[in-house]
Amino acid sequence: MYFHTLREVPGDGEIPSHRLLLRAGMIRKLASGIYGYMPLGYRVIRKIEQIIREEMDAKGAQELTMPAFQPGELWKQSDRWADFGQEIFRLMDRNGREFCLGPTHEEIFAMLVGGEVKSYRELPLNLYQIQKKYRDEKRPRLGLIDCREFIMKDAYSFDKDWDGLDLTYWEMHDTYSRIFRRCGLDFRVVKADMGMIGGLDSHEFTVLSQHGEDMIACCNSCDFAATLERAVCAAGIWNQDGEERRLLEIYTPNIKTIHALKTFLGVPGDKLLKTLIFKVKDQLVAAVLRGDRELNKVKLANALKVPPHALEFASAEDVKKCTGAETGFAGPVGLRHAKIVADQEVPLMKNAVAGANKTDYHMVHVNYGRDFQADMIVDLRLMEEGDPCPQCGSPVTLARGIAVGQIRQLGTKYSEVFEATYVDENMEEKLMVMGAYGIEVSRTMAAIVEQHHDEDGILWPLSVAPYQVMVTVVNVKDATQMCMGEKIYQALRDSHIDVLLDDRDERGGVKFKDADLIGIPIRITVGKRAGEGIVEFKLRREKGREELAYNGAVFKTLKLLKQAGMK
Amino acid sequence: MYFHTLREVPGDGEIPSHRLLLRAGMIRKLASGIYGYMPLGYRVIRKIEQIIREEMDAKGAQELTMPAFQPGELWKQSDRWADFGQEIFRLMDRNGREFCLGPTHEEIFAMLVGGEVKSYRELPLNLYQIQKKYRDEKRPRLGLIDCREFIMKDAYSFDKDWDGLDLTYWEMHDTYSRIFRRCGLDFRVVKADMGMIGGLDSHEFTVLSQHGEDMIACCNSCDFAATLERAVCAAGIWNQDGEERRLLEIYTPNIKTIHALKTFLGVPGDKLLKTLIFKVKDQLVAAVLRGDRELNKVKLANALKVPPHALEFASAEDVKKCTGAETGFAGPVGLRHAKIVADQEVPLMKNAVAGANKTDYHMVHVNYGRDFQADMIVDLRLMEEGDPCPQCGSPVTLARGIAVGQIRQLGTKYSEVFEATYVDENMEEKLMVMGAYGIEVSRTMAAIVEQHHDEDGILWPLSVAPYQVMVTVVNVKDATQMCMGEKIYQALRDSHIDVLLDDRDERGGVKFKDADLIGIPIRITVGKRAGEGIVEFKLRREKGREELAYNGAVFKTLKLLKQAGMK
């Protein structure tokens, strides 16, 4: 057995799953965001894949595999070649033809099915594949959470109409819930942003974890749950007091931040206007929102119909171009050469404070409508803990999580581009209606560890454990112990149980530490009482251990696995 | 079921496997040398993979998966970054770091194991993976035979010493034979060239096929078998008659080829010397061999210690540089600025004819030693049908084949570069001795079709058939037939048999044609006699068909599968 545990992780372990998977010898890093899966770790991957296959197949989805290597021209046809920017790996073949390493396969599947399926009788159709995918992450981190090469299951459905898609979509919603439950995960299904894939409705399956980098907002009173990116904020009513006062310019030397302004003026954040200037392609855009709010860049990007990475902070020079002032004094009044996008709260504010577009000056008593107009008024801000739920008004809770799956209603976006049409019952040609369903398999493995570990190591759920049982022979030089260990090992193997025999010539302590670290759920220890036919039985998740006759230990193992539906 | 057969293949089908796999809807082309595996085809791939897993696991090899994405610096360390030339796909990440898509993984595994394994107690070790690999073929062709993205099993073994490697090597030799036999292949194990991977001994597993692009030479009297590239030619004894005659220049206007020279002079080919000038990196090399022999470029490349693709024909200008003449009049006598590599037959030739290194002139009575010397004398020529076997002297036979597997003794080549050492029983540090073992899974699928098809379609062996049984309902509008069809389908499914039910609303003829094309081994047809409980039983490989009671058909199927060891 190739088996190499580490006592410490060289600098790298950013979160428990990363640290423990490295220490347990389940994964090895080859380059930033690029990992190999060692024999133990790969067994976990294959078990997760098997769960996915069983659940997808049960719904009539069909497995195949398309190339990871995709012609650039398909991405140009769908207009995503530019949109993905540096996020995809691009390369050229020896003839100078452009390719990319697919981070996703909408183009390929729309083209494939569009080219072959002709009749309504062949629909609906749901095709899936499990393969390595590629994404040139800016900062690959957190071990298997954010990788540049990762293992993914992606599926694409083709329906006759929107009702059909709805059926498939909610069936996949169920299927995903079952898959992640079988993996032993505690997760939330949240409304999600469509991102660069595009489409109409989408849900993410987010595993709750303090180390997750996805924030989700949930309501405890109703069923509202959404990614923070996507969470729609309620438009409240504030500051509507009194009448509009006269606009005044005030001297605020060197006061360039909202924080400094609050202190200098002694005014609360909800009385201030924040103006952030971005460069989007060749255009300047000013996002205006309440001083105590955070901008949700995804909402701004969606409003502008560009991908989030297209938003860049404007240079000092560009800021000067539209404000005539140094950076730090921008405001919506009199702003030139920039599109103004205001948060929905901005028109409700009375007599606010804003930058004066003049170095070292701000304006007080700024009022929307009288003093400035926006080009767009939209929901721009990031939801905060305690904000009113957009559905029921109760305060929302924010939580961190790891998005392990996403389902999307793509509609006809790709069918249109690749002419994926069929002839219906009345001989009319119609567009197929598509859905896409992804699971990040390698990230799921990490998420399982995030939720199942203690200070000594991993606690694999039985369903995905690399081995279900570990038989540890304390002293391999003792023939009685070795013989007993091999007997139990063989008995379990004969019952088709995944069992590992630790017959290394190491001290017992080393073996127990390793067993805890790699987290095999059931442990049978053969020690001094082997001569009496007695072994120790212990579950990794529980402190207790009991002494049993060796066949009692085998029997108990079989019973446990049967109860868990694993046999 | 996603199922799309084609009547004809648009221009593409170069050989039967390519044509039939496309027509049967098993594969689809995305770009030159880049294919997707559709549900039916992917089932075959997964069955081949399963056979490989079972046989590798039985020998204690362990599965894992390393990244396809490999840092360029590892390839520079082993000096292969340049050697692979345009054969590998290279790309850069957003930080300008160089990567390649791995066509093979020697570097990765030597580094991995070298970094983790420390003691002789952890050896031997054999690690394997099954994954997509990449190679930028100059002319991808023949469907799945020469692809740019292909599915490969590669394994790397680590032994304490050469004896250990020998054991592992011959064990893998056996394992490979078993794998290919289980896939239903008729193959030969042949001595192979080491190629750019390097190493000491190597065998290829070559499936005999008239459409194969690998040539092998076999002896029918002894066990000699080798790839044509590798086949060592016996050095015979010819032309030793008479004494050396006086060197003469003769006028041969516009006679630039061996063929023209033979006709012009009326002299047999074995009296002529052929001189071919190559540019290898910055050096000019003249290969000299008997006029009626073909040059084996691999032998020349090996002699020069460069990869074969480094050999380019010299330009007219370079030819002039070393001959002083136009192209077509090169000869070994008085050749300048070029390294002369002569075939082992050349020194044995007496009074030969050669180019005079002077436009429109040749020389007669050229003799090695007296008139010129070579820098190297080696075996340079391509073996021909009927040549004497280098082991026993009987005439050899040439055959075409498809190389589906290769095993290689790498020795310490990569262990040295990546410092893969261990401490032995005497506390001495030693280099691990490596082997590498590859199977091209997707090419194996094509090779199976090459050997198992007829004019109507594929004849899958039971072991790799996408489904073992096909139940065809002739008239799906007849309730009795449909009911009987589903009953048989269910009975076989309950016995865990891979069974496909053709319940499409198509004419019987269409269904039978499709069934022949996709090649399911056992076919049960439910037709007019369904009411009497009678169905038709037929094997795809045999013409005959018989009528059986429906449970008799189920029973016979089970019996057949049991006999074949499939149940």
Side-chain angles (χ1 to χ4, degrees), chain B residues 199-232:
Chain B
L200 284 105
D201 202 356
S202 176
H203 286 88
E204 264 177 29
F205 291 75
T206 302
V207 172
L208 299 181
S209 159
Q210 56 177 349
H211 297 291
E213 48 174 6
D214 297 296
M215 291 293 289
I216 62 171
C218 310
C219 177
N220 299 319
S221 308
C222 73
D223 67 352
F224 168 77
T227 59
L228 200 56
E229 288 176 344
R230 160 79 186 224
V232 174

Side-chain angles (χ1 to χ4, degrees), chain A residues 403-463:
Chain A
V404 288
Q406 183 160 14
I407 56 177
R408 291 185 178 88
Q409 297 200 347
L410 297 176
T412 56
K413 175 173 169 177
Y414 296 93
S415 317
E416 276 164 37
V417 176
F418 294 99
E419 294 171 9
T421 60
Y422 70 98
V423 175
D424 75 359
E425 293 84 338
N426 307 315
M427 300 297 284
E428 274 176 56
E429 194 176 352
K430 290 205 171 144
L431 285 170
M432 297 179 204
V433 182
M434 287 178 66
Y437 317 91
I439 292 179
E440 290 208 23
V441 179
S442 36
R443 188 185 280 181
T444 299
M445 173 166 160
I448 295 171
V449 178
E450 287 295 327
Q451 287 196 338
H452 298 275
H453 71 270
D454 61 15
E455 62 281 13
D456 297 321
I458 304 171
L459 305 158
W460 291 113
L462 270 174
S463 56

Side-chain angles (χ1 to χ4, degrees), chain B residues 263-277:
Chain B
T263 317
F264 184 82
L265 297 180
V267 161
D270 62 6
K271 281 284 186 193
L272 308 178
L273 280 172
K274 176 149 80 180
T275 305
L276 302 165
I277 301 179

Side-chain angles (χ1 to χ4, degrees), chain A residues 477-495:
Chain A
K477 283 168 186 152
D478 177 336
T480 315
Q481 290 187 24
M482 263 314 283
C483 180
M484 170 71 75
E486 278 174 358
K487 204 153 136 189
I488 297 175
Y489 174 74
Q490 207 50 55
L492 292 171
R493 262 183 79 105
D494 291 346
S495 304

